[in-house]
Amino acid sequence: TENIGNSRIQGLEIEYKVRPWVGGSLSGYASVLDSKVLAYPTYDDNWMCGHRQEFGAEACAPLYLGTDPAKRGRAIRDVVGNQLPMAPKYSYAINYSHDFELDNGWILTPSIGMRYQSRMYFTVRNLDNRVLGDYQDAYTNWSAAVKLAGQDDKWNVELWGTNLSNNIVKNWMGQGNAGGYTFNSYNPPRMFGQRATKNNYDNVGG
C-alpha cells in the first residue's frame, strides 16, 4: 500500500424528492465529480506488461535504473492528471412511483427507477484498452416494482426487478499472475423477486 503524493477532489451533488401531483413521488440525485492526480512520482506501472503489445495497449514504461531508491526497479508511469479510482465523473438517478387508491382502501403502487454512471477506473493507471483496461465502462441500470398495500399499511406484497437491462458491471478488478487476464467481481445480474410484509401496530392507551 502506497499513498499518492497529491490529489484533488471536487464536485457537486444534488438530491431531490418532490410530489409533482397527488399520488406521485419523484426522487433522485445528480453528481459531478472532478478527481485528479496532481503528483505521484513513484507510481509503478506493472499491469500486464508482458501482454500489452498483444492486445494493442500502450506499453509499460522502462524500468527506472537511476539513483533514486524510491523509484529504482519500477516502471515509472506519469499519471498526473489521471482520474482517481472508484470516482466516476458523472452519475445520476431518477425514480418515480405513483399511489393508486382502490375502492376497497388498498393502495397499488407501481414504481420505476433509472441510474446512470460514467466510466470508472479501478487504479490511477487509467488504461483505456478493451481487453486489459482497468475500468468499468459507462452503464445505465433500470429497475421496476409494483406493491399492493392493505388499509393502514398493515400488510403489503411487492413484485420487483433489478438490473432489467442485465448489464455486466465490474465493481473490483485485479490482474492474474499470468496469461493476460484479470480477476473481477461483479454486481448482481438481472434479478426478479417478491416480498411480503406484515406490520403489527400496538395501540397505545392514555
Side-chain angles (χ1 to χ4, degrees):
T1 301
E2 183 177 70
N3 289 329
I4 293 175
N6 196 6
S7 63
R8 182 187 69 206
I9 304 174
Q10 58 187 0
L12 175 68
E13 180 171 294
I14 299 173
E15 298 182 6
Y16 60 91
K17 186 173 184 179
V18 296
R19 289 189 171 274
W21 40 73
V22 176
S25 179
L26 182 67
S27 64
Y29 73 91
S31 174
V32 179
L33 184 62
D34 177 34
S35 66
K36 280 188 173 60
V37 178
L38 300 183
Y40 196 169
T42 61
Y43 184 71
D44 183 11
D45 183 15
N46 58 357
W47 182 267
M48 308 288 189
C49 291
H51 301 278
R52 295 245 189 126
Q53 183 177 1
E54 176 185 355
F55 295 109
E58 178 185 353
C60 289
L63 294 180
Y64 175 83
L65 300 176
T67 58
D68 187 343
K71 297 181 179 180
R72 190 168 180 84
R74 295 187 173 198
I76 300 299
R77 180 183 176 94
D78 182 9
V79 293
V80 172
N82 284 8
Q83 186 174 306
L84 291 176
M86 314 298 285
K89 188 171 184 179
Y90 303 108
S91 61
Y92 60 84
I94 302 173
N95 306 289
Y96 182 75
S97 64
H98 196 100
D99 293 337
F100 294 95
E101 295 187 12
L102 307 181
D103 293 339
N104 56 7
W106 296 355
I107 297 177
L108 183 67
T109 307
S111 61
I112 189 168
M114 181 271 286
R115 181 181 180 274
Y116 168 82
Q117 178 179 294
S118 62
R119 175 172 291 195
M120 178 182 73
Y121 293 96
F122 296 103
T123 75
V124 296
R125 183 179 295 101
N126 289 195
L127 181 63
D128 293 315
N129 180 268
R130 184 182 61 83
V131 179
L132 304 180
D134 57 344
Y135 63 87
Q136 166 58 49
D137 218 344
Y139 66 93
T140 301
N141 266 356
W142 289 88
S143 61
V146 58
K147 182 173 72 172
L148 180 65
Q151 295 182 13
D152 300 323
D153 198 29
K154 290 183 178 180
W155 60 266
N156 65 71
V157 292
E158 183 178 17
L159 300 176
W160 54 265
T162 57
N163 190 10
L164 298 179
S165 40
N166 202 30
N167 292 314
I168 300 175
V169 177
K170 297 185 289 285
N171 55 46
W172 178 86
M173 175 180 285
Q175 66 173 320
N177 294 327
Y181 62 89
T182 62
F183 288 114
N184 309 304
S185 61
Y186 298 87
N187 290 345
R190 181 190 295 128
M191 298 181 69
F192 300 97
Q194 61 182 26
R195 63 175 63 95
T197 304
K198 187 179 186 302
N199 298 311
N200 294 319
Y201 299 113
D202 296 329
N203 293 324
V204 178

